Amino acid sequence: MESLPDAILQYIFSNINNARDVAACNCVSKRWKDSTPYIRSLYFPRSSFDNPSSCGESPDNIVKRMVSRVARLEELIVYCPFSPAGLASWLSLVGLSLRQLELRMDNLADNQGFLESPSKLNCVGAARNLESLKLWGVLMIHSPKWDVFQNLKNLEIIGTRLEDHVLNVVLQSCPFLTRLLLLGCEGVRSVSMDLPYLEQCKLDFYGSGNCSLTLTSPKIESLEVQGCSWIRVPETKHLRNLSISNTAGRVYMVDFGNLTALEVLSMRGIQWCWDAICKMLKLAIEVKHLYMKIEFTGDHDTLQPFPEIDFVDFFNSHQKLRKFDIHGAMFAALCQKNSLKQVDLGFVIPCLEEVVITVRSPLNAEQKMNTLESLLMYGKSLRTMVIRILEMKSCYNSDDEFFDDICRFRYMNRNIVRLV
């Protein structure tokens, strides 16, 4: 290493980011220590200060000393505990050069955190040239005092408790976002987002599942929403990937614009209103991958099974479907008596290549076997059929007979069908 030219040594150091590795390199030689300013990224793991140094220096000061030795720090990741004063001192040194900042705030359960001055959240505003900001475990009771982040393209907040007006202030400070990720957000009831440059968005609202969302983002390409009962996204001509899930509440209303670009649609939850299901299926006529795991329908507290869905009409309306993942209720709805009574001689499922079916009940076993056979008969491009059999919940003694029929079906079509 000592024989390497300075430029190569500096390049090597620019790719080292773990704080312990950097500290160890500083102790090797003066030449190595002199290369520290060329480091671009510093990462302080959770356990960075589990073994305190003999000099008794505080973690805040150690981080500050290492940060101060870097000429132009572009990325700072801190998972170890730190104080608001410590964060403020670091960002006063490198705030203008930072492009990526990731902090484990650890004040989610600390209601006294906002009595500290300055607050950790307000300190972040000193890094006004950020391109990416990630915050873990942050309590956001009061709106942060941030100016507009002109360069911020990526915002990730994971594990937070906040209110509607605080979230609105945060998003107003980040008008140029192209990627937004909010996971484990508690306390949000109604959100209205107007982000003209947003392309990727993932939202996970924790609680009773009755949040309402309005998103206006004409460039949105990928959207994942969990925990909303009312969803409105009027501009969707570029939307290719859409996932809607509600494991705690019900999905009452969905209002989307043009979905002609949609390729992947995932619909999950315990209960969806039937109008919402029908509307999504009607809009997603160009979809290539459809995943449905909705247990029940019904407009209010009463849980109801899916009504009959005509097998032929469904596949005629989704001509480009290549992969279909059906769970329980949707499969049962396709297996009603009238679906396959009259099939036009020219009917074919043109593009379907893979189907994954989850079976939960032996009820209407004959119709279900007819549907499985019809998928093979009319699916001219079908290459794989996966049948998942969950624990049967039935008062009838037909479980074994139905399972035998599926095993026989699998044996007769073993080049395509498999059981898991």
Side-chain angles (χ1 to χ4, degrees):
M1 289 288 287
E2 287 301 320
S3 64
L4 290 176
D6 287 343
I8 295 180
L9 185 62
Q10 292 164 7
Y11 176 78
I12 293 173
F13 270 81
S14 70
N15 287 278
I16 299 175
N17 65 357
N18 190 290
R20 286 188 173 181
D21 294 338
V22 173
C25 290
N26 285 336
C27 300
V28 173
S29 67
K30 182 179 183 301
R31 185 166 178 251
W32 282 32
K33 186 175 182 179
D34 291 342
S35 297
T36 301
Y38 297 94
I39 291 173
R40 293 288 178 263
S41 173
L42 276 176
Y43 165 52
F44 294 86
R46 185 72 174 169
S47 59
S48 294
F49 304 106
D50 286 352
N51 298 317
S53 60
S54 58
C55 64
E57 191 175 6
S58 70
D60 283 350
N61 287 338
I62 295 174
V63 176
K64 182 178 180 181
R65 177 160 45 83
M66 296 188 67
V67 165
S68 66
R69 290 177 178 174
V70 180
R72 186 175 177 80
L73 191 66
E74 296 181 357
E75 180 180 32
L76 178 61
I77 303 172
V78 183
Y79 287 171
C80 62
F82 61 89
S83 69
L87 179 60
S89 66
W90 311 336
L91 296 184
S92 68
L93 296 172
V94 297
L96 296 181
S97 65
L98 277 183
R99 296 295 178 266
Q100 300 179 53
L101 178 62
E102 184 170 354
L103 301 172
R104 182 164 179 164
M105 307 290 272
D106 278 347
N107 66 349
L108 186 58
D110 183 11
N111 291 315
Q112 303 299 318
F114 283 93
L115 299 178
E116 298 175 321
S117 181
S119 74
K120 291 181 179 178
L121 203 57
N122 287 340
C123 292
V124 172
R128 57 177 179 268
N129 292 321
L130 286 177
E131 297 174 2
S132 175
L133 174 61
K134 301 179 184 180
L135 302 175
W136 297 73
V138 54
L139 181 66
M140 305 177 76
I141 295 178
H142 303 299
S143 302
K145 297 178 181 178
W146 292 348
D147 292 329
V148 173
F149 289 99
Q150 297 288 342
N151 300 320
L152 193 65
K153 299 296 189 296
N154 178 56
L155 175 63
E156 299 182 19
I157 303 177
I158 302 169
T160 181
R161 184 148 51 94
L162 75 171
E163 297 183 0
D164 299 349
H165 71 279
V166 177
L167 180 56
N168 289 333
V169 170
V170 169
L171 296 178
Q172 287 170 8
S173 301
C174 313
F176 303 107
L177 290 178
T178 60
R179 184 174 184 272
L180 173 64
L181 187 146
L182 303 176
L183 296 183
C185 291
E186 183 179 359
V188 176
R189 297 181 179 178
S190 179
V191 184
S192 181
M193 302 181 181
D194 189 354
L195 297 169
Y197 302 98
L198 193 66
E199 297 175 359
Q200 299 180 357
C201 183
K202 186 173 184 179
L203 307 173
D204 176 16
F205 298 114
Y206 176 78
S208 57
N210 60 351
C211 182
S212 66
L213 169 69
T214 299
L215 174 64
T216 305
S217 299
K219 295 186 178 182
I220 192 73
E221 296 178 0
S222 177
L223 175 62
E224 298 181 45
V225 181
Q226 151 62 26
C228 287
S229 292
W230 296 269
I231 304 170
R232 182 174 183 271
V233 188
E235 299 183 60
T236 54
K237 64 180 181 180
H238 298 293
L239 189 61
R240 297 198 308 266
N241 190 329
L242 174 61
S243 175
I244 303 174
S245 175
N246 197 336
T247 57
R250 305 176 186 88
V251 177
Y252 288 108
M253 187 274 291
V254 289
D255 183 8
F256 287 86
N258 188 341
L259 292 179
T260 55
L262 193 66
E263 297 180 358
V264 180
L265 173 62
S266 174
M267 302 165 62
R268 294 171 292 167
I270 301 299
Q271 183 182 6
W272 282 47
C273 290
W274 185 242
D275 286 345
I277 296 174
C278 291
K279 190 167 187 178
M280 288 308 307
L281 293 178
K282 185 177 181 180
L283 287 171
I285 57 175
E286 304 291 327
V287 71
K288 297 178 181 178
H289 180 186
L290 177 59
Y291 178 91
M292 289 196 66
K293 187 182 179 182
I294 303 172
E295 303 293 342
F296 299 98
T297 184
D299 293 339
H300 300 288
D301 293 337
T302 303
L303 300 177
Q304 299 178 354
F306 282 23
E308 179 178 345
I309 297 176
D310 189 275
F311 183 93
V312 176
D313 287 347
F314 175 81
F315 285 105
N316 278 338
S317 300
H318 299 86
Q319 292 277 323
K320 297 183 180 180
L321 193 61
R322 294 182 181 176
K323 183 176 180 180
F324 191 18
D325 199 321
I326 329 169
H327 189 282
M330 180 66 180
F331 178 59
L334 283 170
C335 298
Q336 299 298 319
K337 294 180 180 180
N338 297 322
S339 294
L340 295 167
K341 275 188 174 181
Q342 294 181 346
V343 180
D344 187 85
L345 294 177
F347 171 68
V348 67
I349 306 174
C351 299
L352 190 64
E353 299 176 355
E354 180 179 354
V355 59
V356 180
I357 302 168
T358 301
V359 182
R360 301 189 60 181
S361 169
L363 294 177
N364 299 320
E366 182 180 353
Q367 284 75 37
K368 289 178 179 178
M369 293 307 303
N370 286 340
T371 301
L372 294 176
E373 292 169 357
S374 297
L375 285 168
L376 284 182
M377 180 185 306
Y378 299 111
K380 301 303 181 181
S381 302
L382 193 64
R383 297 182 299 183
T384 303
M385 177 184 288
V386 178
I387 304 175
R388 296 193 182 112
I389 302 179
L390 301 185
E391 182 180 356
M392 296 292 186
K393 298 179 180 179
S394 173
C395 59
Y396 298 93
N397 295 322
S398 55
D399 299 33
D400 292 340
E401 183 179 347
F402 181 46
F403 184 74
D404 288 343
D405 289 340
I406 291 180
C407 289
R408 190 178 302 109
F409 173 75
R410 185 262 176 194
Y411 178 78
M412 297 297 294
N413 304 279
R414 54 187 177 274
N415 59 326
I416 295 179
V417 181
R418 58 187 177 94
L419 302 180
V420 295

